[in-house]
Amino acid sequence: MSDPLALLPLAIAAGGGRLGAFHASQLTAAGLTLLRRSAPLVRALAGKRSAILLPGGPAFLVALAASDGRGALLLDGKASPTTIAWQIADADVGAVFTLEALAPMLPDGTPVVLLDDAPRVAQVFVPGRRMDVDLGSHHGLLLEGDMATEGRDEECVVAYTPSGVRLTSTHRNLIAAGRAAVAELLLTPMDHVLSILPCSDPESVAVCLAAPLFAGARVSTLSPTNVDELVVAAQRDDVTLIAARWRTETGIRVSGFSVANAVERLRDGTLLHENE
């Protein structure tokens, strides 16, 4: 039997970190409970991918866990409804995890799971049926496994390039990238990482979400409208690192920065936030 920690959501849960107000293990447990308690969702996903149209907060990890080892299409909230519809069809998606405010961007008739109240309750909408799913009061998963295990060489997430090319990342890819980021950024359980990116691409998932949670750190998310808002949030919440995209000589990559460094890069235009 393969090690359960070879699946990205379970490896994240085992790290002992917190995402927003919740332990990562609570959020993963809620996602697994969603599948166990919603037969219509299981049927909608049978033989298909899931899709996630969410910011990078607690609901994202619930959705990733509820994908239960099948590939999850990462949808960009800035994309047009036409683009989203094409990606859903091309990737053969069975159901989409999202929020009520974002659901109108989806094609009519798409099975939808609303996670506005996760990890407490989810709402599942399939053609002809609506159901509220109690996700339970979780104290997290009790996981046993090798924390150094390599991830499964199976599809974890997929995403599309602007030109429409579908890219696949395996559990192995993302776990390795997350561990590399832990080492590069010297992350520890004492860190509080503020991510100003959505998890709509695999690099953001690995660096902004998986890496700090692997290290047992705390992760918060924010979509700042200006530099001052970012500074206030970072100081108020004792943030030690800001995760964002930045321009390099070889292209754009995701990394972590001290608050002072991030502010400086935002002002000189080398740091990019969610809306750029």
Side-chain angles (χ1 to χ4, degrees), residues 8 12 60 64 74 156-157 174 178 198-212 254:
L8 180 65
I12 287 173
F60 183 90
L64 193 63
L74 304 179
C156 180
V157 301
L174 293 173
C199 284
S200 54
D201 68 77
E203 191 176 16
S204 295
V205 173
V207 177
C208 303
L209 184 73
V254 178

Side-chain angles (χ1 to χ4, degrees), residues 6 12 49 68 81 83 87 93-94 96 103 108 116 124 155 165 176 183 188 191 193 199 207 228 240 252 255 257 273:
I12 287 173
R49 293 183 176 93
D68 194 31
T83 297
Q87 291 180 359
V93 167
V96 182
D108 291 341
D116 296 76
V124 178
E155 187 177 282
V165 176
T188 75
D191 280 305
V193 178
C199 284
V207 177
D228 291 339
T240 59
I252 295 174
S255 190
F257 305 86
H273 71 64

Side-chain angles (χ1 to χ4, degrees), residues 32-92:
L32 298 176
T33 298
L34 172 57
L35 279 185
R36 288 199 298 269
R37 294 184 178 178
S38 179
L41 175 59
V42 173
R43 289 193 290 269
L45 288 172
K48 297 180 178 291
R49 293 183 176 93
S50 67
I52 302 176
L53 179 59
L54 289 166
F60 183 90
L61 186 51
V62 174
L64 193 63
S67 297
D68 194 31
R70 64 177 51 81
L73 169 64
L74 304 179
L75 293 170
D76 188 344
K78 301 188 296 296
S80 69
T82 300
T83 297
I84 288 174
W86 178 83
Q87 291 180 359
I88 286 173
D90 187 71
D92 194 21

